[in-house]
């Protein structure tokens, strides 16, 4: 099978991103080569508001998408003639932003006579570990980002089933909201991780949600409420650091506890035992280490994407697009942007 080269576009939240990825398809999924990956973060535009403002995000995507795409194309030694298709995130996400990248992708596909592939952002995260290593399907996936927290059985592109999900907040959302209560900047996850490194949370008692439940669901609202309450009693920077450490450990423990159930069930029906964690929260070192230990305990290999591909990027969208293209799964030009789009 010949290699497929795809331009990917990502505009579903607060990064405007474009990337060119080449896939060498094989029966097991194939090997990916990232030829370029450009990410323009809007953090500075939103920082003053303590979170992403959808209207500002959409306008910023309009301002940046052409330039970011031009840079991603300039870094590869070929023009649009070298592409086999154009992939764009079509949801889920902030729909004003999604429309910018999707419309830009449609226009480019029409102008160049290339096939368009509408990609689910979550499917992008699901394949992101394949950007750093040749990972064969199937695998068990923990997807933890700002908007999502779920366990998925990934059999291949377009062939994934959810075996657990959060019943309230996403893990990254919990990081962000608790970080805000501690007076840390946006985005809160990385800031809370830095603060936690100075603290010792072992004396702080936080609720353990859904413990002992038989399913693989998550809940972070009880932890969030308790952390908010304790944050109000923090007097010193050390108090704050101790709370940050306790919160990080509590989130890591819940992720590992719920994953353990999924690992045990998965191992009963699969000989190829691989556990992958992806999404922005997978950039957290404590969480990676905790999940790696949990995987090892159950006889699973463990993999997380390279740091740069944990948080939002377009390389994962280009790769998901290339894998879809290899299967002939292209989209009509009138495909719509979807604010909600469960896998
Ligand atoms: O995947 P992503 O970039 O966007 C979504 O699709 O949601 O994930 C962003 C989320 C944010 O909530 C951010 O705080 C969190 O990932 N995050 C982290 C870390 N880096 C990013 N959370 C904990 N520790 C980190 N180092
Ligand atoms: Zn994401």
């Amino acid at each position: 099978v010949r290699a497929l080269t795809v331009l990917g576009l990502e505009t579903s939240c607060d990064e405007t991103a474009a990337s060119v990825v080449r896939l060498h398809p094989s029966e097991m999924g194939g090997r990916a080569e990232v030829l370029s990956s450009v990410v323009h973060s809007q953090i500075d535009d939103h920082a003053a508001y303590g979170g992403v403002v959808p209207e500002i995000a959409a306008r910023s995507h309009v301002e940046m998408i052409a330039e970011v795409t031009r840079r991603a194309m300039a870094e590869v030694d070929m023009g649009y003639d070298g592409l086999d298709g154009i992939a764009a995130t079509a949801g889920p996400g902030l729909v004003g932003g999604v429309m910018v990248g999707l419309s830009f992708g449609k226009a480019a596909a029409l102008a160049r006579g290339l096939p368009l592939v509408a990609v689910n952002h979550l499917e992008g995260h699901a394949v992101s570990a394949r950007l750093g290593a040749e990972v064969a399907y199937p695998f068990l996936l923990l997807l933890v980002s700002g908007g999502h927290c779920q366990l998925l059985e990934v059999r291949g592109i377009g062939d994934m089933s959810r075996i657990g999900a959060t019943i309230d907040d996403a893990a990254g959302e919990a990081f962000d909201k608790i970080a805000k209560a501690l007076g840390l900047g946006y985005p809160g996850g990385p800031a809370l991780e830095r603060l936690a490194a100075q603290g010792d949370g072992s004396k702080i008692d936080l609720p353990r949600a859904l413990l002992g439940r038989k399913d693989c669901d998550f809940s972070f609202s009880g932890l969030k409420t308790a952390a908010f309450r304790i944050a109000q009693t923090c007097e010193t920077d050390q108090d704050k650091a101790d709370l940050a450490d306790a919160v990080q450990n509590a989130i890591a423990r819940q992720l590992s506890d719920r994953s353990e159930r999924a690992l045990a069930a998965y191992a009963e029906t699969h000989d190829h035992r691989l556990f992958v964690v992806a999404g922005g929260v997978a950039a957290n070192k404590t969480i990676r280490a905790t999940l790696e230990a949990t995987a090892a305990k159950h006889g699973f290999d463990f993999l997380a994407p390279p740091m740069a591909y944990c948080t939002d990027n377009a390389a994962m969208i280009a790769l998901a697009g290339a894998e879809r293209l290899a299967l002939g799964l292209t989209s009509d030009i009138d495909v719509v942007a979807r604010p909600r789009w469960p896998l």
Side-chain angles (χ1 to χ4, degrees), residues 121 125 145-147 172-173 175-176 187-190 193 279-281 283-284 310-312:
H121 181 81
H125 279 299
S145 69
E173 198 178 353
F175 266 109
D176 292 337
E193 180 175 20
V281 178
N284 185 286
C310 286
T311 48
D312 287 347

Side-chain angles (χ1 to χ4, degrees), residues 10 12-13 121-122 125 143 145-148 279-280 310-313 316:
E10 159 60 37
S12 69
C13 191
H121 181 81
L122 303 178
H125 279 299
L143 171 49
S145 69
H148 303 274
C310 286
T311 48
D312 287 347
N313 64 87
M316 67 186 194

Side-chain angles (χ1 to χ4, degrees), residues 64-252:
M64 292 307 298
I65 186 73
E67 170 63 14
V68 166
T69 305
R70 195 195 58 73
R71 280 169 50 201
M73 287 301 294
E75 279 179 30
V76 299
D77 203 14
M78 59 183 197
Y80 278 81
D81 292 346
L83 295 177
D84 296 293
I86 296 184
T89 299
L94 300 172
V95 77
V98 174
M99 284 195 283
V100 175
L102 183 58
S103 300
F104 192 89
K106 286 180 180 185
L110 278 176
R112 307 287 175 165
L114 290 166
L116 172 75
V117 189
V119 171
N120 184 311
H121 181 81
L122 303 178
E123 198 169 81
H125 279 299
V127 302
S128 60
R130 291 173 30 73
L131 291 165
E134 196 169 346
V135 183
Y137 296 114
F139 51 82
L140 181 69
L141 173 75
L142 173 65
L143 171 49
V144 271
S145 69
H148 303 274
C149 182
Q150 41 190 263
L151 280 156
L152 296 153
E153 192 178 320
V154 180
R155 291 173 294 272
I157 202 81
D159 188 12
M160 315 185 179
S161 43
R162 205 162 76 177
I163 52 185
T166 183
I167 59 172
D168 40 56
D169 291 343
E173 198 178 353
F175 266 109
D176 292 337
K177 288 178 176 170
I178 295 169
K180 201 172 177 180
L182 283 169
L184 304 175
Y186 160 84
L192 194 137
E193 180 175 20
R194 280 193 297 275
L195 184 61
Q198 318 293 321
D200 172 9
S202 58
K203 294 203 177 59
I204 299 175
D205 208 17
L206 288 168
R208 303 190 64 173
L210 308 182
L211 212 68
R213 247 170 78 151
K214 299 250 181 310
D215 56 37
C216 301
D217 289 340
F218 303 84
S219 167
F220 295 100
S221 70
L223 168 67
K224 190 182 65 183
T225 309
F228 282 179
R229 188 169 39 72
I230 299 170
Q232 287 176 339
T233 69
C234 286
E235 288 172 357
T236 63
D237 287 347
Q238 189 60 51
D239 291 343
K240 289 186 182 179
D242 291 347
L243 178 57
D245 182 55
V247 164
Q248 181 172 265
N249 285 332
I251 293 176

